Amino acid sequence: MIFNNVYVKNGFSVVGPKEKEGNLGKFFDMCLENDKFGEKSFEKAECKMFKTAIDGVLKKSGTPPSDIDTVLGGDLLNQIVSASFAMREYDSSFLGLYNACGTFAESLLLGSCLIGGEFKHKVVCISGSHFSTAERQYRYPLELGVLRSPVSQWTATGSGATLLTDNPKDAECRITRGTAGRVTDFGIKDVNNMGAAMAPAACDTLMQFFYDTGALPCDYDRIFTGDLGKLGKRLLAELMDGNGMNIDDKLHDCGAMLYKDRQQTYQGGSGAACSAVVFNSYILDALRNGKFKKILLVGTGALLSTLTSFQGESVPSIAHCLEVVACG
Amino acid sequence: MIFNNVYVKNGFSVVGPKEKEGNLGKFFDMCLENDKFGEKSFEKAECKMFKTAIDGVLKKSGTPPSDIDTVLGGDLLNQIVSASFAMREYDSSFLGLYNACGTFAESLLLGSCLIGGEFKHKVVCISGSHFSTAERQYRYPLELGVLRSPVSQWTATGSGATLLTDNPKDAECRITRGTAGRVTDFGIKDVNNMGAAMAPAACDTLMQFFYDTGALPCDYDRIFTGDLGKLGKRLLAELMDGNGMNIDDKLHDCGAMLYKDRQQTYQGGSGAACSAVVFNSYILDALRNGKFKKILLVGTGALLSTLTSFQGESVPSIAHCLEVVACG
């Protein structure tokens, strides 16, 4: 997909205390002191982060809420209730999306179609997650203190929102091309090892993007995957190498970047917040200040549920790719 | 949103035994003899209905699977696993959506943007649900035999798929305009009474559509809501009347139409299958054979989860509206 007039006006990121202490702490717009965020439940805190991210990106860009045509996004909770409940507060239309941790890339892709196809002027793309809501929904009660697998990742707490517009004035960067991914399944059944499940999806979508566009890895300053983690990132580099595309020196993973080693997240961050908060902080900053001229963002998602795992199914995965180019 | 070149090539509907015995039984393309569909679990049966609907619409329209650029859709299961797992079998890209029972209308809206914005040539829009998977995920174990509330609806078993294309040749009808809805919440906390929760959302989106387009109810042969049920349909008619728009003689509800009174579904059908199977059978048939020239489809969704209800939240709702015009 080619987009001619899709501009990123601004981005906003809100994260939890653990994310603040990580490698990218100084880049985030807002950091919670406590991951309950003054609410009665972690779920309500997650919902509040969504509203904070939407309000944040609007304020940062001087855009009144009434100017936003549509919000596109979702989260990891059953029935994407964080995004849906947050949207009660706004008069914009809402298009709920779910591609697991690839939801943020999906929202940028569909948001770019709404702007690029001249259906809308201003849209907000958003996703997020919360360690404590995801952990108790997908894995174990928090109080149980279960030992984590060394191949596991840590669901990031945060929410990231991007304002897309058809107006080039004061834009930070442009979304120029994209490839929607297909569902791949290499038979991984270890639900802790999401990186291994998602790496083939990222490879498939990247190869398709390079094939469709004729672009090469050397055309980009960085290729950011969403949340493959350290192991998954290594697997992707190997898979790409096997396809004759060496991306070792270009490949960075939002999940692998997020935390410090001493934070004991094992393979790094994951969750629908991961690529959303890294894109809307570190990546947009670098595109604005000239550090990057052109990057790829490859959002990755593992499309399982607790029910499918209990029924013995493997983990299907997906990845969506976007080309983002600095405006300066 | 205005769409200039979005054509409905064909639709396919597969339903369960109860839906076959209902008012629209003769219109469906395929009816299951048993709602396990030869699978080990109801969830796997739901996933198989998705594949059946996609294969069905491709076969009916003589389109090879390799011609489909993208599939857009979702279902009611946590993490929309029916749609996601079905997509393992196809090479098309996948964009997962979730607006509860409004997911089918959302898929037609975004599918129309992909075609109308010239990003894709052929896309499949799909959603579905299964009584037995929804009941045990959202309400009670099936074996418990809980008495149902008189305001409740029956989650329809089925899946409906529509092939959208930019090619007018042999098209059944066109999608010409649409309005994405916003999230409304009138404080309804009775999770059985979805019709009452969703009626204000349908009213809000319909009024917005009429305001944006200048169209009037008299311009349409029928206005189909998704799954308000009998009570919700009455509430919508009253709400519209209160806004100075009498739609009593135009308003039909896919849920209210689906079953016979003696089938004891109380307010009628609901679920992500509801509008999907009625649109892809009865409505497309009537547009093809000249019975209808122009209709509105207003897909409605209740955006709750079991967790939000347990946490004392009310039921936010959404509705998306599409104008569909016969080609003949």
Side-chain angles (χ1 to χ4, degrees):
Chain A
M1 291 189 265
I2 299 169
F3 306 114
N4 288 318
N5 59 334
V6 181
Y7 299 91
V8 174
K9 175 82 174 176
N10 232 320
F12 189 92
S13 55
V14 50
V15 298
K18 191 177 178 108
E19 290 68 28
K20 180 181 181 168
E21 285 170 23
N23 290 318
L24 305 176
K26 65 176 178 184
F27 294 101
F28 301 121
D29 293 289
M30 182 176 165
C31 301
L32 311 185
E33 284 177 30
N34 175 310
D35 65 1
K36 272 242 176 117
F37 205 2
E39 296 291 313
K40 275 189 199 167
S41 72
F42 295 120
E43 289 77 12
K44 288 189 205 294
E46 183 173 329
C47 183
K48 191 173 171 183
M49 287 195 297
F50 271 76
K51 289 182 267 189
T52 306
I54 296 173
D55 292 344
V57 76
L58 294 184
K59 194 173 172 194
K60 211 168 154 180
S61 55
T63 307
S66 56
D67 272 18
I68 300 302
D69 299 313
T70 301
V71 175
L72 303 99
D75 55 272
L76 299 183
L77 290 188
N78 297 340
Q79 288 73 58
I80 60 166
V81 285
S82 299
S84 301
F85 275 69
M87 286 307 297
R88 293 191 290 191
E89 314 278 324
Y90 303 93
D91 277 343
S92 321
S93 59
F94 173 58
L95 295 161
L97 310 180
Y98 185 79
N99 270 164
C101 307
T103 301
F104 181 67
E106 185 192 9
S107 75
L108 286 182
L109 206 55
L110 281 169
S112 298
C113 291
L114 292 185
I115 302 281
E118 298 181 17
F119 299 108
K120 301 286 178 190
H121 297 293
K122 285 191 176 72
V123 304
V124 170
C125 305
I126 188 166
S127 83
S129 53
H130 192 301
F131 172 78
S132 298
T133 67
E135 198 67 8
R136 65 189 190 178
Q137 178 183 279
Y138 287 102
R139 297 183 186 94
Y140 303 98
L142 295 162
E143 297 79 359
L144 207 59
V146 169
L147 270 184
R148 301 174 60 239
S149 154
V151 292
S152 70
Q153 295 166 249
W154 187 274
T155 307
T157 297
S159 181
T162 305
L163 175 56
L164 297 184
T165 152
D166 54 6
N167 185 352
K169 189 169 172 287
D170 302 329
E172 303 213 326
C173 51
R174 293 167 57 205
I175 298 185
T176 41
R177 296 191 281 198
T179 293
R182 54 190 169 188
V183 177
T184 63
D185 190 335
F186 277 59
I188 302 284
K189 291 199 179 187
D190 179 356
V191 295
N192 289 304
N193 199 350
M194 301 283 190
M198 296 189 294
C203 176
D204 187 60
T205 300
L206 265 174
M207 290 305 296
Q208 188 68 48
F209 177 83
F210 289 135
Y211 177 83
D212 288 348
T213 60
L216 288 169
C218 59
D219 298 333
Y220 299 93
D221 296 300
R222 296 272 196 288
I223 298 170
F224 290 98
T225 45
D227 58 344
L228 295 178
K230 292 169 194 170
L231 174 60
K233 182 187 156 203
R234 243 178 18 243
L235 291 173
L236 173 60
E238 277 177 33
L239 286 169
M240 291 296 290
D241 212 37
N243 280 289
M245 286 272 184
N246 190 301
I247 58 168
D248 291 24
D249 58 333
K250 302 288 183 182
L251 183 60
H252 293 253
D253 180 73
C254 299
M257 291 161 68
L258 197 55
Y259 302 106
K260 290 180 174 145
D261 282 344
R262 63 173 166 77
Q263 290 183 290
Q264 295 197 316
T265 60
Y266 300 108
Q267 302 303 325
S270 69
C274 206
S275 54
V277 300
V278 176
F279 181 80
N280 288 295
S281 59
Y282 173 76
I283 297 177
L284 284 188
D285 273 14
L287 284 159
R288 188 193 313 114
N289 66 26
K291 186 177 167 194
F292 303 154
K293 290 270 174 239
K294 201 194 252 191
I295 63 117
L296 291 181
L297 176 72
V298 186
T300 43
L303 303 173
L304 78 166
S305 76
T306 51
L307 183 138
T308 58
S309 302
F310 289 147
Q311 290 190 357
E313 291 276 10
S314 52
V315 181
S317 295
I318 198 160
H320 302 299
C321 177
L322 292 142
E323 182 186 72
V324 191
V325 181
C327 274
Chain B
M1 291 188 263
I2 298 169
F3 306 114
N4 287 319
N5 59 335
V6 181
Y7 299 91
V8 173
K9 175 81 172 179
N10 231 320
F12 189 92
S13 55
V14 51
V15 298
K18 190 177 179 106
E19 290 68 29
K20 180 182 180 170
E21 285 171 21
N23 290 318
L24 305 175
K26 67 177 177 184
F27 294 101
F28 301 121
D29 292 290
M30 182 175 164
C31 301
L32 311 185
E33 286 178 28
N34 176 309
D35 63 2
K36 272 244 177 114
F37 205 1
E39 295 292 313
K40 275 189 199 167
S41 72
F42 295 121
E43 288 77 13
K44 288 189 204 296
E46 184 173 327
C47 183
K48 191 172 171 185
M49 286 196 299
F50 272 76
K51 289 182 264 189
T52 305
I54 297 173
D55 292 344
V57 75
L58 295 184
K59 194 173 171 194
K60 211 168 154 180
S61 55
T63 307
S66 56
D67 272 18
I68 300 301
D69 299 310
T70 301
V71 175
L72 302 99
D75 56 90
L76 299 184
L77 290 188
N78 297 340
Q79 291 71 57
I80 61 164
V81 284
S82 298
S84 301
F85 275 70
M87 286 309 298
R88 294 192 289 193
E89 313 278 325
Y90 303 92
D91 277 343
S92 321
S93 59
F94 173 58
L95 295 161
L97 311 180
Y98 185 80
N99 269 165
C101 307
T103 301
F104 181 67
E106 186 191 8
S107 75
L108 286 182
L109 207 56
L110 281 169
S112 297
C113 291
L114 292 184
I115 302 280
E118 299 182 15
F119 299 107
K120 301 287 178 187
H121 298 293
K122 284 192 177 75
V123 304
V124 170
C125 304
I126 189 165
S127 84
S129 54
H130 192 301
F131 172 79
S132 299
T133 66
E135 198 67 9
R136 67 189 189 179
Q137 178 183 280
Y138 287 101
R139 297 184 186 94
Y140 303 99
L142 295 163
E143 298 79 359
L144 207 57
V146 169
L147 270 184
R148 300 173 60 239
S149 154
V151 292
S152 70
Q153 296 167 246
W154 187 274
T155 308
T157 297
S159 181
T162 305
L163 175 56
L164 297 183
T165 150
D166 55 7
N167 185 352
K169 189 169 173 284
D170 303 329
E172 302 211 327
C173 50
R174 294 166 57 205
I175 298 184
T176 42
R177 296 190 281 199
T179 293
R182 54 190 168 186
V183 177
T184 64
D185 190 335
F186 277 60
I188 302 283
K189 291 199 177 185
D190 178 357
V191 294
N192 290 303
N193 199 352
M194 302 282 189
M198 297 189 292
C203 177
D204 187 62
T205 301
L206 264 174
M207 290 305 298
Q208 188 68 47
F209 177 82
F210 289 136
Y211 177 83
D212 288 348
T213 60
L216 289 168
C218 60
D219 297 335
Y220 300 93
D221 295 301
R222 296 271 197 290
I223 297 169
F224 290 98
T225 46
D227 58 344
L228 296 178
K230 291 169 195 169
L231 174 60
K233 183 187 156 200
R234 247 182 9 247
L235 291 173
L236 173 60
E238 277 176 32
L239 287 169
M240 291 297 289
D241 214 35
N243 281 289
M245 285 273 184
N246 188 299
I247 59 167
D248 291 23
D249 58 332
K250 302 289 183 183
L251 182 60
H252 293 253
D253 180 73
C254 299
M257 292 161 67
L258 197 55
Y259 301 106
K260 291 178 174 149
D261 282 344
R262 66 172 164 73
Q263 288 183 291
Q264 295 196 317
T265 59
Y266 301 108
Q267 302 303 327
S270 69
C274 206
S275 54
V277 300
V278 175
F279 180 81
N280 288 295
S281 59
Y282 172 77
I283 298 177
L284 284 188
D285 273 15
L287 285 159
R288 188 192 312 113
N289 66 28
K291 188 179 166 193
F292 302 154
K293 290 274 175 235
K294 201 194 252 191
I295 63 117
L296 291 180
L297 177 72
V298 186
T300 44
L303 303 174
L304 77 168
S305 76
T306 51
L307 181 137
T308 59
S309 303
F310 289 148
Q311 292 190 357
E313 291 276 12
S314 52
V315 181
S317 295
I318 198 161
H320 301 300
C321 178
L322 293 142
E323 181 186 73
V324 191
V325 180
C327 275

